[in-house]
Each structure stands twice: as C-alpha cells, then as structure tokens.
C-alpha cells in the first residue's frame, strides 16, 4: 500500500512537470516572438484614379539602401494580389529587428505588376527605421510607369481584322470576275 502511494505521488509529480513543461513551451515562444517581431505598416495610394485589373499584383519591400553604389538589400517583402480591390491598399511588413542596424538607411519601395509587367512603382524613397522616423501609418504613393505598354484589349484582334478584310476583298474580286466572264 505504501508503495502504491509512492508510485501515485511519483506519477502525479511527473504529470505536473509535464504540464509545467508544456506551459513553458507555449508561453515563452510567444513572448520571444512578440519581443523579436516588428513591423512597418501603411497605405498604398495610386498617383491617378486608374482602375486596376483583378490580376494586378502588389510587391512592397523594406530595403537597406545604405550603400549608394550597391543595389538595395531587401530585408522583407510582401507580395499580394489585389483580387479586384482598388486603391488604397493597406500593408504590413513584419521583420526581424535583429536585421536592422540603426546606423543604416532603410526605405519602403514597391511596384504593381499586371501580366508580369510593372505599371506602377514608388518613385520617392520613404525612409523608415531611422531615429525619429515613423514605421506605421506610412502613406506610400505609386506612380504610373511611363510607357508601361500594357496591351489593349483589342490589340490581338487587329491582325485578325485585317486578314478578314483582305479575305472579303478577295472573295468580292472573284465574284466580280465571275460575273464579268459569264
């Protein structure tokens, strides 16, 4: 009987240790990620009142541009489809603060693509994560790219229309010749 109580007590202690371990694993990673996570957020506006197709894809990036001679080093990026929604677009860019050096210069940059072609992009640098620079409620304006060259919806029909007209002209010519020879 004494052995049973000892075994039960041992099982209860083991169960309590297991519960404590599980709670520790559940609580500490959350606390660590909450402390280790940061984000930049804001709203993207278009420079004009254009309507984007539902296939438009937005890319927004946090980039290190400290070295002017080198290309920007992307710290984090978010790519999402507009799904038919129109400007303005909200964004949040989570990043690891350990990747940020307070002595460096960081910007938000981005673009909007349709069929893989850039039609809007940021022109002015939006500095973030410097001393005193806000990293929330940013207002990013994307400007239409000159000569974006998006195909018009009728562009593929022009050669077909021309071929149809030539075919009809050929048939009409044959009909006129036939009448004249008959």
């Amino acid at each position: 009987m004494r052995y049973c109580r000892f075994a039960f007590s041992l099982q209860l202690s083991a169960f309590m240790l297991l519960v404590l371990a599980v709670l520790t694993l559940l609580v500490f990673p959350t606390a660590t990620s909450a402390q280790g996570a940061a984000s930049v957020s804001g709203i993207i506006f278009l420079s004009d009142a254009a309507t984007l197709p539902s296939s438009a894809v937005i890319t927004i990036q946090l980039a290190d541009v400290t070295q002017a001679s080198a290309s920007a080093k992307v710290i984090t990026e978010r790519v999402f489809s507009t799904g038919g929604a129109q400007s303005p677009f909200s964004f949040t860019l989570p990043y690891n603060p350990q990747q940020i050096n307070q002595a460096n210069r960081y910007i938000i940059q981005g673009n909007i693509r349709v069929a893989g072609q850039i039609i809007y992009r940021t022109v002015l640098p939006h500095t973030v994560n410097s001393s005193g620079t806000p990293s929330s409620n940013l207002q990013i304006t994307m400007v239409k790219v000159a000569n974006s060259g998006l195909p018009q919806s009728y562009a593929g029909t022009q050669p077909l229309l021309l071929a149809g007209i030539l075919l009809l002209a050929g048939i009409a010519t044959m009909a006129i010749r036939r009448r004249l020879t008959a």
Side-chain angles (χ1 to χ4, degrees), residues 28-41 62 75-76 92-100 102 129 135:
F28 283 116
T30 305
T32 304
S33 65
Q35 292 173 355
S39 65
V40 176
S41 63
L62 172 63
I75 303 300
T76 187
T92 300
L93 281 170
Y95 65 91
N96 181 350
Q98 294 175 347
Q99 292 181 296
I100 303 300
Q102 291 302 318
N129 291 320
S135 60

Side-chain angles (χ1 to χ4, degrees), residues 37-172:
S39 65
V40 176
S41 63
I43 299 173
I44 300 167
F45 295 94
L46 299 182
S47 61
D48 57 13
T51 301
L52 295 173
S54 61
S55 61
V57 176
I58 298 174
T59 301
I60 193 85
Q61 301 172 330
L62 172 63
D64 183 343
V65 292
T66 305
Q67 296 180 349
S69 61
S71 61
K73 177 185 172 195
V74 176
I75 303 300
T76 187
E77 161 180 274
R78 182 163 176 237
V79 179
F80 58 97
S81 172
T82 61
Q86 299 302 315
S87 174
F89 304 100
S90 297
F91 72 90
T92 300
L93 281 170
Y95 65 91
N96 181 350
Q98 294 175 347
Q99 292 181 296
I100 303 300
N101 178 345
Q102 291 302 318
N104 291 358
R105 183 170 173 246
Y106 298 91
I107 65 166
I108 296 295
Q109 62 185 11
N111 61 56
I112 299 176
R113 294 177 184 261
V114 174
Q117 189 170 8
I118 297 175
I119 59 169
Y120 285 88
R121 68 181 180 93
T122 52
V123 177
L124 300 173
H126 300 276
T127 305
V128 293
N129 291 320
S130 302
S131 57
T133 305
S135 60
S136 63
N137 299 321
L138 299 175
Q139 293 187 4
I140 309 297
T141 300
M142 290 198 186
V143 178
K144 190 167 193 151
V145 174
N147 299 326
S148 64
L150 276 181
Q152 299 296 322
S153 60
Y154 61 84
T157 62
Q158 285 178 337
L160 200 56
L161 182 62
L162 181 60
I165 290 171
L166 290 174
L167 180 63
L168 287 174
I171 291 172

Side-chain angles (χ1 to χ4, degrees), residues 6-25:
F6 176 74
F8 177 75
S9 174
L10 190 59
Q11 287 177 346
L12 186 60
S13 296
F15 177 75
M16 293 301 277
L17 284 174
L18 180 64
V19 168
L20 183 61
V22 168
L23 287 174
T24 302
L25 289 175

Side-chain angles (χ1 to χ4, degrees), residues 166-179:
L166 290 174
L167 180 63
L168 287 174
I171 291 172
T173 304
M174 285 177 48
I176 292 172
R177 280 187 184 167
R178 204 176 245 173
R179 288 212 169 196

